[in-house]
Structures are given as C-alpha cells and as structure tokens.
Amino acid sequence: GRASMRQLLPFITREITMQLEESMVFFSTQKQEALRSLPGNPYGVHIRSFGNATAFLAQRTYNADLTSHVLNIGGDDLSSLDAVLEWYRSYGVHCAFDIAPSTASSAFLRHLATKGWYQSGFYNVLYGLPQEKMIAHSDIAVRSVHSDEKDLFVAVYCESFEVPNTDTYASFFYT
C-alpha cells in the first residue's frame, strides 16, 4: 500500500535536488533550442549560462513566464545576478527566476528583492524511483504513449504549454 510506496522514495537531498534541477535545465534547453531552430528564429530565443545558472530568453512570445526564465540559480550565483538582469534588460525582456529552496541563500534572495523581484509562485516537481508495480486506482491509468498516439500527445502538449505545433518543434518528441 501507501506505506511501502513511501519507503521506496529517497529522502530529498541536495544531490537529488541538483539532479532534478539539471533535468529541468536539460528539458528547457531542448524546448528552447527547438523553438530557436525554427526558420528565422521567430521567437528570438537566446540561451546563456551565468555561473551555475542557465538563462532562457524569448523576445517575441506571449508566454514569457514559460520561456524567459532562469534555472539552477542560487546563493552561489550572487556575483552573476547583476549580469543576468542586465542581459534580460538589454533585450527588453522581463524574466522569472526558478529557485530551488535548497540552493537559495538569504543574501541572494535579499539581493533579488532589492532589484524588485519577489516570490510570486511555486513550481512543484514530483520525483520518485521508476518501478513496474504501481498502486492501482480505478480511474487512473499510467502508461507509455503508444506510437499511434504520438501526434495526439504532441498536440495536447503544445496546446497546454502554448508552443507552436510545428514539424521542427514536434520532432523533439519523436527522437
């Protein structure tokens, strides 16, 4: 039952947090690179590293909160923060910071606040160990997408995240 499921989950450590952050950076990079590879880079996508942080910028998009944000940034990146802010400012784009509590520091968060940034939301991340046996729920089925459902999956994904469902972007899902 539920008790045995809890025993399988590793305790969230700084190392696991970093693995989750790296996964989010990888996936965001793949999505942004797919958008950037569209002919003429119509969304004006740019990606840049600042210390440990990866900054994603899209100049011409209506969902900037999903496309112009900084991942994997924390207390160790305090010296890079002004450069990050100036980079976005130079493009005339506002950004969001996705900060894992385990990597934040009081000094870093205070510095963000002095620049006008504040906590305005949360981003939940689920984690666990892959396993064959799942707790059965009569209303929920978790399974891999079948090959004949890939187009439907891509369409739902693109609509949900308000990204273009183009051949170039959709090819990300078929690799």
Side-chain angles (χ1 to χ4, degrees), residues 45-66:
V45 172
H46 303 276
I47 303 169
R48 184 169 168 192
S49 294
F50 293 89
N52 297 317
T54 303
F56 303 94
L57 182 148
Q59 291 174 280
R60 296 176 295 277
T61 184
Y62 52 88
N63 58 353
D65 288 346
L66 296 175

Side-chain angles (χ1 to χ4, degrees), residues 28-172:
S28 289
T29 300
Q30 296 298 307
K31 288 192 307 186
Q32 297 281 15
E33 285 178 350
L35 288 173
R36 184 171 59 186
S37 71
L38 294 171
N41 190 9
Y43 297 98
V45 172
H46 303 276
I47 303 169
R48 184 169 168 192
S49 294
F50 293 89
N52 297 317
T54 303
F56 303 94
L57 182 148
Q59 291 174 280
R60 296 176 295 277
T61 184
Y62 52 88
N63 58 353
D65 288 346
L66 296 175
T67 54
S68 294
H69 61 120
V70 184
L71 288 173
N72 202 30
I73 192 165
D76 294 342
D77 299 297
L78 181 57
S79 62
S80 301
L81 186 56
D82 288 334
V84 170
L85 295 172
E86 180 53 37
W87 184 64
Y88 282 101
R89 194 175 304 117
S90 73
Y91 284 96
V93 174
H94 183 77
C95 69
F97 292 90
D98 296 352
I99 303 169
S102 63
T103 63
S105 71
S106 295
F108 179 78
L109 296 174
R110 267 193 306 277
H111 193 70
L112 271 175
T114 65
K115 300 292 184 177
W117 267 257
Y118 57 90
Q119 182 177 334
S120 60
F122 291 93
Y123 186 91
N124 294 317
V125 177
L126 300 176
Y127 78 101
L129 298 175
Q131 56 185 326
E132 292 289 322
K133 296 179 181 178
M134 301 289 290
I135 297 173
H137 294 279
S138 62
D139 297 346
I140 300 171
V142 178
R143 62 174 174 75
S144 298
V145 175
H146 297 139
S147 59
D148 64 334
E149 299 171 317
K150 285 187 177 180
D151 289 338
L152 175 61
F153 174 81
V154 170
V156 169
Y157 179 90
C158 289
E159 185 174 328
S160 298
F161 287 101
E162 299 178 342
V163 296
N165 188 351
T166 64
D167 290 341
T168 303
Y169 193 78
S171 69
F172 167 71

